[in-house]
Each structure stands twice: as structure tokens, then as C-alpha cells.
Amino acid sequence: PAKDYVGSIIEIGTYNPTLYASLLYPASLTNTIAVGASTDCNRRSDYSSYGTGLDFTAPSNGGWNDVPSLDPSGSAGWADGDTMMEFGGTSAATPLAAGIGALMLSANPQLTAAQVRSIMRKSCDKIGGVTYSGGDTGAGGWNTYYGYGKINAYLAVTNAIAATLRVVTF
């Protein structure tokens, strides 16, 4: 057994769905964008938290393929080469989502934090073969396991640019 970050005892290699059944601090904070992880098979990664407050998922591991990541060179790195193939989890999904937010702000620096969150929610692909309903107007619905779906970088940046066209200043 190993002790995980919330203090529970879990067996390495086993899945305990109740362990991740709700969003924990800091993802549970009101002004935080809560990002879950989805696989390359467009399913929620089994280790990913879900529930009220989940905004969306971003690609990570848990399916057939891992997420390649640059690795510090030489002995400072975690792997022998300059890439690491085992990188994943919400530790991979969250910085991907943050990068998409940065791209949105580079396309439209006038966006507020609330606008970035709203545009990201409206820029998701519906995945998982589940029903999405309710949630933000224009976002196509929300689901307990996927939030608003899987974030789509192209749509997010395109929608951020379109928001520039709607801003009228006098």
C-alpha cells in the first residue's frame, strides 16, 4: 500500500473511484478553472476527479498512448533521453489548459479571467458518449464526468479572437 496526497491508503495499481469522486482544494475554489483528464480514446481518465465544479477535461494519459514531454537533459532529467513518455495525469492536462488560456490572451489581451473561463467552456468537444445538459448558455451542456467536454485549443483561440470583434469602446 501507498499513502496518497489526501491521506488515504490505496494499493498501487488499483482503482478506487470514490477517492476522486469530488473536486478537492484548490480545484474546488470558485475562481479556479477545474481541469480533469481525458484519454486519447475520448474518455475520462479513471484517475481524474469529477463532479460539481469541473469545467472541462484536457488530453492526458490513461488510454493507449502517453503524453510525450520534454525532459531536462542529462542527469538532471527523469528519463535517459530528452523526452519522457510516462508523463500524464492532471499534471499534464492542467498545464495544457493553462497554455490554451495563454494563447487566448495573446490573441485578445482584453479578456477578463471570467471571459477566458466562459470562452473555454464554450470551446469544448463533447466526448464520452454521454448526455450533456444545463450549464452555461451557449456551451452545449455540462456533464458530471466531463464538465463541458474536452477543451479544443483551435476553438478557444478562434472564439477569443471573435470576442475582440464584439468589444466596442468609445
Side-chain angles (χ1 to χ4, degrees), residues 6 9 51 56 60 62 73 76 84 89 95-96 98 106 108 113 118 127-128 133-134 136 138 140 142 159 165 170:
V6 292
I9 302 297
F56 50 81
S60 188
S73 297
M84 184 172 77
L96 181 101
S106 71
N108 184 352
S118 177
I127 63 170
S133 62
D136 290 0
W142 181 88
N159 291 337
L165 303 175
F170 296 95

Side-chain angles (χ1 to χ4, degrees), residues 18-43:
T18 59
L19 181 63
Y20 302 104
S22 64
L23 299 181
L24 303 173
Y25 175 86
S28 60
L29 292 173
T30 303
N31 292 321
T32 300
I33 296 176
V35 180
S38 57
T39 72
D40 57 340
C41 300
N42 283 333
R43 300 283 186 208

Side-chain angles (χ1 to χ4, degrees), residues 52-170:
T52 303
L54 177 65
D55 287 291
F56 50 81
T57 66
S60 188
N61 64 349
W64 292 102
N65 298 296
D66 288 328
V67 178
S69 175
L70 292 178
D71 184 51
S73 297
S75 62
W78 297 280
D80 290 337
D82 292 333
T83 58
M84 184 172 77
M85 294 305 293
E86 295 83 26
F87 185 61
T90 51
S91 295
T94 301
L96 181 101
I100 293 169
L103 288 171
M104 293 168 59
L105 288 169
S106 71
N108 184 352
Q110 303 303 315
L111 293 173
T112 65
Q115 289 171 316
V116 168
R117 180 186 210 156
S118 177
I119 291 169
M120 290 178 104
R121 288 176 168 183
K122 294 174 184 177
S123 302
C124 291
D125 298 327
K126 303 307 181 202
I127 63 170
V130 296
T131 301
Y132 290 80
S133 62
D136 290 0
T137 303
W142 181 88
N143 179 275
T144 297
Y145 298 104
Y146 297 94
Y148 288 93
K150 180 178 72 175
I151 188 70
N152 180 318
Y154 176 79
L155 283 177
V157 173
T158 300
N159 291 337
I161 292 168
T164 303
L165 303 175
R166 291 190 295 270
V167 174
V168 179
T169 57
F170 296 95

